[in-house]
């Protein structure tokens, strides 16, 4: 239930809101500003790393500086669940919201990202790949459980991390359902946000996500504005290795 003040703020935020019993609904969809940052590694790449890997890796000191600068600039982190509720008109976002997402379930999600977020009272959304869990340099199920316990949001990034558009409907359903069930078994809550491997999806993928009860899904295309009609194709902001905190914040405006 929204307080009267929150309700009025929602009205001022641009949506025409209807009060229906105890709940408030947005009568028409709103476009919301909420950059969804896309991280992969937040650790120092090995000396043998190629250019692609280096581009995906933000070293820990730079990651910490980026978080500090985001906070200094007034950004407040929210989860994908909160963004979803805001898109439906059921929640309000802070004035400068952002979602921090981390793809692929690398070991540094637990060892580096999570403590840095907790130290700043921030939250992150971690998209894990079922078949990667427990592999060398990846998270274990124990890590995933601990991160969920610490308040981090766990999303699904498929079971096999393949191009889903090359699979049949049945194969896609099998992959996504297996990954979702495994997450649900380990953290006692079914994932509600999905990340398409390589950002690729088709009508079958989106239909399966709706059938399985997914609320949101993210791609790799660039956007900072979202609408509830687009909630299964939400664009993100790619954070590149070596990107200064100032350059990052400039990308968000
Ligand atoms: Zn991935």
């Amino acid at each position: 239930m929204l307080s009267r003040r929150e309700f009025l703020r929602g009205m001022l935020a641009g949506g025409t809101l209807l009060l229906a019993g105890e709940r408030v609904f947005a009568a028409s969809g709103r476009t919301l500003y909420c950059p969804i940052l896309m991280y992969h590694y937040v650790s120092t790449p090995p000396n043998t790393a190629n250019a692609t890997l280096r581009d995906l890796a933000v070293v820990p000191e730079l990651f910490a500086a980026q978080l500090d600068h985001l906070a200094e600039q007034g950004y407040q982190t929210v989860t994908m669940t909160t963004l979803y509720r805001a898109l439906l008109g059921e929640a309000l976002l802070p004035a400068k919201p952002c979602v921090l997402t981390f793809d692929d379930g690398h070991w540094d999600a637990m060892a580096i990202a999570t403590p840095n977020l907790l130290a700043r009272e921030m939250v992150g959304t971690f998209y894990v790949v079922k078949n990667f869990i427990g592999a060398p340099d990846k998270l274990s199920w124990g890590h995933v459980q601990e991160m969920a316990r610490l308040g981090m949001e766990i999303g699904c990034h498929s079971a096999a991390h393949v191009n889903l558009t090359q699979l049949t409907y049945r194969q896609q359903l099998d992959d996504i359902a297996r990954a979702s069930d495994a997450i649900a078994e380990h953290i006692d809550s079914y994932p509600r946000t999905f990340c398409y491997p390589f950002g690729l999806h088709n009508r079958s993928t989106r239909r399966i996500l709706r059938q399985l009860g997914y609320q949101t899904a993210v791609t790799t295309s660039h956007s900072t504005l979202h609408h509830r009609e687009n909630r299964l194709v939400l664009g993100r902001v790619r954070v590149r290795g070596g990107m200064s905190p100032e350059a990052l914040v400039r990308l968000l405006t």
Side-chain angles (χ1 to χ4, degrees), residues 1 27 48 158 175 221 224-225 227:
M1 174 70 186
T48 52
S158 81
D175 179 284
S221 56
T224 56
L225 298 174
H227 191 276

Side-chain angles (χ1 to χ4, degrees), residues 40 103-106 127 129 132 157 161 195-199 220 236:
H40 286 84
D103 290 11
D104 302 334
H106 299 298
Y127 289 109
V129 179
F132 289 179
H157 192 22
H161 203 279
C195 176
Y196 302 108
F198 317 106
T220 52
R236 293 190 284 177

Side-chain angles (χ1 to χ4, degrees), residues 46-145:
N47 288 333
T48 52
N50 61 21
T52 308
L53 195 66
R54 286 179 190 283
D55 192 48
L56 291 174
V58 176
V59 301
E61 302 72 28
L62 182 56
F63 177 61
Q66 289 175 346
L67 296 184
D68 287 337
H69 192 58
L70 285 168
E72 282 160 21
Q73 295 297 310
Y75 282 94
Q76 289 178 266
T77 57
V78 297
T79 60
M80 291 301 297
T81 302
T82 300
L83 173 57
Y84 168 74
R85 293 188 58 232
L87 288 171
L88 293 195
E90 296 181 351
L92 292 166
L93 294 176
K96 283 175 134 184
C98 68
V99 181
L100 305 179
T101 67
F102 301 83
D103 290 11
D104 302 334
H106 299 298
W107 66 274
D108 55 30
M110 175 70 198
I112 295 170
T114 297
N116 269 286
L117 295 173
L118 290 174
R120 295 166 178 81
E121 297 186 357
M122 291 176 162
V123 67
T125 301
F126 294 84
Y127 289 109
V128 299
V129 179
K130 178 192 172 285
N131 294 0
F132 289 179
I133 294 179
D137 296 335
K138 302 290 184 195
L139 298 173
S140 66
W141 280 117
H143 292 141
V144 175
Q145 286 167 333

Side-chain angles (χ1 to χ4, degrees), residues 166-226:
Q166 307 221 306
L167 304 183
T168 65
Y169 173 85
R170 262 326 305 171
Q171 289 169 327
Q172 289 200 49
L173 177 61
D174 178 64
D175 179 284
I176 298 171
R178 273 194 306 122
S180 307
D181 289 347
I183 292 170
E185 264 169 45
H186 286 89
I187 65 169
D188 288 332
S189 81
Y190 201 85
R192 294 291 173 208
T193 183
F194 191 83
C195 176
Y196 302 108
F198 317 106
L200 300 173
H201 54 90
N202 59 20
R203 254 170 74 175
S204 297
T205 330
R206 298 187 298 276
R207 196 172 131 210
I208 290 163
L209 293 186
R210 278 191 290 271
Q211 284 170 347
L212 295 178
Y214 275 92
Q215 299 169 333
T216 57
V218 295
T219 69
T220 52
S221 56
H222 180 90
S223 179
T224 56
L225 298 174
H226 312 295

